[in-house]
Amino acid sequence: MQFSLDDQVALVTGAGRGIGRATALALAEAGARVIAVARTAADLDALAAEARGRVEGWVADVTDAGFYARIEALPRLDILVNNAGGNRPMPMVDVDDETLDWLITLNVRSVYKTAQAAARRMTEQRSGVIINMSSQMGHVGSPRRTVYCMTKHAVEGLTKAMAVELAPFGIRVVAVAPTFVKTPMTEQMFADPEFSRFVFDMIPLKTLATPEDVAAGVVYLASPAARLVTGESLRIDGGWTAR
Ligand code: NAD
């Protein structure tokens, strides 16, 4: 029962595919009423058809000001999963301004603005849980990932500072930090045998995460079972960062 999310309102960004999609399905299965946010309506229709539970789709871009206003206008919001993000791995010396600005805008600015909109709603109702999607790269460095690591370390810092500031309002703020997950974002990376070898050498448990592994962590953190967990980053990384 402690893991039940019955009648909680949960909003998940980047829910069209990958981790966000699995998380939306898991939250709905745990009893939440899920608002799934994605840019592609067809992805949301497919998600709603598969869901065992209540899923409403919102077509929106998480970098749009209108999206933040829409969150603030919600009559109730219990759980935010601030998941949309991206990566474009490349050597630091090759990073162009467009890539730098795109990643900072998507992985930091939109995460901040989405969390801020949710915090405005939740401080009024004096309860809520905000779960920011970080990465193991929010804890360590890795080649060809200077911008990504920088943005995910920012997410970790934001999580801690929000947790401290919002605790008096009964709001918990946590991060989830997965290792490499097989999703559309990483599929091309694993086509390279040298990269695959590097990744498996780094993971003591010798297995990649699935979107469902990450979703399970989100359900726990969102649930009453985690009522004393805030400012924490749950690493779902097979031991990568324990080395
Ligand atoms: P993905 O590329 O499969 O999914 C990213 C999602 O975000 C997609 O649904 C995409 O449409 C959405 N998105 C991107 N820009 C958006 C925008 N402007 N507006 C609305 N939605 C937008 O990747 P994923 O692996 O599922 O990534 C989800 C999160 O998990 C990201 O924050 C990512 O950094 C993080 N993460 C991924 C991995 C991994 O290996 N896949 C590992 C650690 C952390």
Side-chain angles (χ1 to χ4, degrees), residues 11-17 20-21 35-45 47 56-62 67 70 83-84:
L11 186 144
V12 183
T13 66
R17 54 187 188 174
R21 186 176 204 278
I35 301 168
V37 181
R39 288 170 299 177
T40 309
D43 288 348
L44 291 172
D45 292 343
L47 171 67
E56 172 195 348
W58 277 13
V59 176
D61 187 309
V62 296
F67 171 59
R70 209 169 160 191
N83 166 74

Side-chain angles (χ1 to χ4, degrees), residues 13-21 37-40 43 60-63 82-87 102 106-107 110 133-137 148 152 176-186 190:
T13 66
R17 54 187 188 174
I19 294 170
R21 186 176 204 278
V37 181
R39 288 170 299 177
T40 309
D43 288 348
D61 187 309
V62 296
T63 60
N82 210 352
N83 166 74
N87 191 12
W102 170 65
L106 179 61
N107 289 5
S110 89
M133 194 53 67
S134 176
S135 164
Q136 63 183 12
M137 299 306 175
Y148 189 73
K152 292 302 186 182
V176 174
T179 187
F180 286 93
V181 184
K182 268 215 162 160
T183 66
M185 188 172 104
T186 56
F190 285 102

